[in-house]
Amino acid sequence: MNNFFKIILAFLAFLLFLFLAFLLLNLKPLENSLEKIVTNEMINSEITHEVTLVLLDFRSLDTLLEVAVIFLALIGIKTVSPLFRYEPLSFPFFITDTYDSLIFPIIVIVSFYILTSGAYQSGGAFQASAVLAGGFILINLTKPQFLKDMKELILRFIYSLGLLYFIFIGFFTLFNGNFLEYPNEYSYHLIISIETFLTISLSVILANYFINAVQRFK
């Protein structure tokens, strides 16, 4: 009996294969190729890098959900590890002074360059936020009192800033048609503004990932 069912399943699988092969061989070519669609959208949005365009135009809802996952991960970290306390490292003053006066501004400039260059080459919010997060981590290691002076309410606002702005733009675009379907005349500015807010928000979230990961018990 088992062999009989195996033969039936194999026969049905073969029929399914023939059916799918028939559909594949009879597919009609699209009137506009994917490359042409992307090229036309580049012209309309003035975003000339394919990855940035796909992430924040064609797949904008997916990117929004990815940002939401990153934000929720931080909430999870802060929720499940309330017993941990961070003990900052200490460095000689000449290192911390040099960093605060020279290295961190350079990190900010590099991060801003990566953010703005995402419109025409590899870069964008996620890469820029990773670089900027490294700067915040170094500040926390060298000058922990700088971050301790910031109120938790302000930090929570920064955590959620990128996600909230992304959602706000989504509802704003509903007046033009669909959720996160940007008007052609404003698409470039909307995408750049989303990337900017995401860079600020994600950099602080990623920095807090590290800070919470290296916490120690009192």
Side-chain angles (χ1 to χ4, degrees), residues 159-188:
Y159 296 152
S160 58
L161 180 62
L163 179 61
L164 291 177
Y165 183 76
F166 210 153
I167 295 174
F168 169 77
I169 293 299
F171 282 108
F172 172 77
T173 55
L174 287 176
F175 294 102
N176 184 61
N178 298 320
F179 188 77
L180 289 175
E181 183 179 335
Y182 315 116
N184 289 335
E185 61 272 24
Y186 301 118
S187 58
Y188 175 83

Side-chain angles (χ1 to χ4, degrees), residues 16-158:
L16 178 61
F17 167 77
L18 292 178
F19 176 70
L20 294 176
F22 173 79
L23 292 179
L24 181 62
L25 293 173
N26 287 275
L27 284 177
K28 295 181 180 179
L30 296 175
E31 294 182 1
N32 292 318
S33 66
L34 183 59
E35 181 179 359
K36 187 175 181 180
I37 294 174
V38 173
T39 302
N40 290 336
E41 190 63 26
M42 283 182 177
I43 297 173
N44 294 331
S45 66
E46 300 181 17
I47 301 294
T48 58
H49 192 257
E50 296 87 345
V51 175
T52 302
L53 184 69
V54 169
L55 288 178
L56 285 171
D57 196 336
F58 292 100
R59 292 183 59 251
S60 54
L61 184 57
D62 290 346
T63 305
L64 171 63
L65 295 177
E66 290 169 3
V67 174
V69 169
I70 294 174
F71 176 69
L72 292 175
L74 178 65
I75 295 177
I77 290 173
K78 288 186 171 292
T79 301
V80 302
S81 59
L83 299 178
F84 284 96
R85 295 295 182 269
Y86 176 64
E87 295 178 2
L89 303 176
S90 60
F91 291 94
F93 287 111
F94 77 92
I95 296 180
T96 59
D97 293 341
T98 301
Y99 173 75
D100 291 337
S101 61
L102 179 61
I103 301 178
F104 183 72
I106 292 176
I107 289 177
V108 173
I109 293 173
V110 172
S111 176
F112 179 75
Y113 169 75
I114 294 174
L115 167 65
T116 55
S117 66
Y120 57 88
Q121 65 180 12
S122 297
F126 288 94
Q127 294 88 336
S129 63
V131 173
L132 190 57
F136 289 139
I137 290 170
L138 289 176
I139 282 186
N140 190 78
L141 293 174
T142 58
K143 297 283 188 178
Q145 68 277 5
F146 175 80
L147 295 180
K148 285 183 178 179
D149 293 339
M150 295 189 66
K151 295 183 179 180
E152 181 65 23
L153 182 62
I154 296 176
L155 286 174
R156 291 181 181 181
F157 173 74
I158 298 175

